[in-house]
Amino acid sequence: MQPRSRWKAVHGVLLLDKPLGLSSNDALQKARRLFQAAKAGHTGTLDPLATGLLPVCFGEATRFAGLMLDADKEYLAEVRLGIRTATGDAEGEVLQTREVAVDEVALRQALVAHTGDIDQVPPMHSALKKDGKPLYEYARAGQTVERAVRHVRIHAIELQQVALPVFTMRVLCSKGTYIRTLAEDIGEMLGCGAHLTGLRRTRTGPLDLGRAFTLEQIADLDETAREALLLPADVLLQQMPCCRMNDTEAQRLINGQPVSLRDVESDSPLVGGQILRAYAGAVFLGLVEAQGNRLRVKRLMPQDSTPKAQKIPESA
């Protein structure tokens, strides 16, 4: 870790391409050290086996990180049929090997059957907590505990490559979906079992892997170029409706005062209780909530913490 005196105020969102073998927290800490950022957090855990998109929030952007936990996710998953493991992935002990008497037609039918609203039992080898302790700690101690069924939604499964007994699928799913469990359930439906051999997250909400950088790429840059990679905090919120106001009304909002709806422009009809992104010109002010005929502060962004080079344009 850097000496505490070297930590500095860094604000913004880094789209990190997490490498294989690192936990999300380990990847976060490596990115934090590269930026010498005093405050950092991420928007949703990826297993060490998984690679791909891990949005890392620095400074004031951490105020909005939690909102991404509810976002839909997209994954590219490689699955091996015929082998069931203790962890549901390639790191676990092999529990059972079965013949794979499956063709592509049956595989596609199984994928369709697992699309839509489905129930999942979270795997024992996961970070989900039971009585304050992660499930993987129980699993490592040889214990199995009862887990509540989760209701999740698989928006789409697209078969990418087939070389049975291995196939690759692209999955668009709701929060809380375990792709390992999805792979195992598909294998059970096909009567041969399965486990996950590779997983890459390609999208989180409005953010995609195309704009992400690896730790090696970031380390090769100087400080100025590094900080130019940071996106503004509102990149996390692009799926929310937007409203704009003049500087006078913006100052009222910053002072904690409500703003009349007639003094703002919105990109959609306003509904009571609705949460919106608020802007003055190109400057992101924070989140506001529609209450009656007024907008009230929900969560403000300090105005000196937005990366100037990354402000949202007027057309956003």
Side-chain angles (χ1 to χ4, degrees), residues 81 99-115 157 159 162 164 167 169 182-183 185-193:
L81 295 173
E99 180 184 358
V100 180
V102 172
D103 59 16
E104 186 175 329
V105 172
L107 174 58
R108 289 184 180 276
Q109 290 173 343
L111 299 188
V112 169
H114 285 84
T115 303
I157 304 179
L159 193 59
V162 182
L164 295 174
F167 69 91
M169 61 181 177
L182 177 63
D185 290 347
I186 290 170
E188 289 307 308
M189 174 171 280
L190 292 170
C192 58

Side-chain angles (χ1 to χ4, degrees), residues 2 13 47 91 102-103 115 117 132 166 223 254 266 296:
Q2 297 280 356
V13 179
D47 289 341
E91 295 184 329
V102 172
D103 59 16
T115 303
D117 295 320
V166 177
E223 181 178 352
I254 291 169
S266 173
R296 297 185 183 274

Side-chain angles (χ1 to χ4, degrees), residues 37-252:
K39 186 177 183 182
H42 62 69
T43 64
T45 301
L46 272 178
D47 289 341
L49 175 70
T51 67
L53 185 61
L54 181 69
V56 174
C57 301
F58 295 125
E60 296 299 339
T62 59
R63 292 169 177 246
F64 306 97
L67 298 174
M68 289 296 289
L69 297 177
D70 291 338
D72 288 341
K73 311 291 192 302
E74 184 184 72
Y75 297 92
L76 194 62
E78 184 184 82
V79 181
R80 170 62 158 90
L81 295 173
I83 299 175
R84 192 167 61 87
T85 71
T87 58
D89 59 32
E91 295 184 329
E93 175 189 359
V94 174
L95 298 179
Q96 187 181 35
T97 300
R98 284 184 273 179
E99 180 184 358
V100 180
V102 172
D103 59 16
E104 186 175 329
V105 172
L107 174 58
R108 289 184 180 276
Q109 290 173 343
L111 299 188
V112 169
H114 285 84
T115 303
D117 295 320
I118 64 171
D119 292 339
Q120 286 191 333
V121 176
M124 282 299 302
H125 288 268
S126 69
L128 191 67
K129 291 187 176 180
K130 171 81 170 180
D131 298 329
K133 190 164 82 170
L135 289 178
Y136 63 75
E137 291 190 11
Y138 291 102
R140 289 171 182 171
Q143 302 175 16
T144 300
V145 298
E146 186 176 350
R147 290 96 72 201
V149 172
R150 282 191 169 193
H151 307 290
V152 299
R153 172 166 289 185
I154 308 298
H155 299 291
I157 304 179
E158 179 184 329
L159 193 59
Q160 296 283 293
Q161 295 179 341
V162 182
L164 295 174
V166 177
F167 69 91
T168 303
M169 61 181 177
R170 188 176 298 277
V171 180
L172 178 61
C173 57
S174 68
K175 69 170 184 176
T177 302
Y178 286 96
I179 305 299
R180 279 180 294 162
T181 301
L182 177 63
E184 289 182 306
D185 290 347
I186 290 170
E188 289 307 308
M189 174 171 280
L190 292 170
C192 58
H195 70 280
L196 198 65
T197 53
L199 184 65
R200 185 160 176 78
R201 186 156 69 193
T202 53
R203 182 178 293 274
T204 297
L207 307 177
D208 63 73
L209 192 58
R211 295 187 287 171
F213 297 87
T214 66
L215 290 169
E216 290 77 14
Q217 288 173 322
I218 298 166
D220 285 341
L221 300 175
D222 61 26
E223 181 178 352
T224 300
R226 216 171 269 162
E227 294 196 1
L229 301 180
L230 297 180
L231 301 170
D234 58 335
V235 75
L236 302 171
L237 313 170
Q238 294 303 295
Q239 292 176 315
M240 289 185 170
C242 167
C243 68
R244 300 187 182 279
M245 60 192 71
N246 61 35
D247 291 343
T248 299
E249 299 307 319
Q251 193 57 54
R252 286 178 58 85

Side-chain angles (χ1 to χ4, degrees), residues 284-295:
F284 174 54
L285 301 174
L287 296 178
V288 294
E289 182 175 359
Q291 295 182 1
N293 62 352
R294 294 188 173 189
L295 292 176

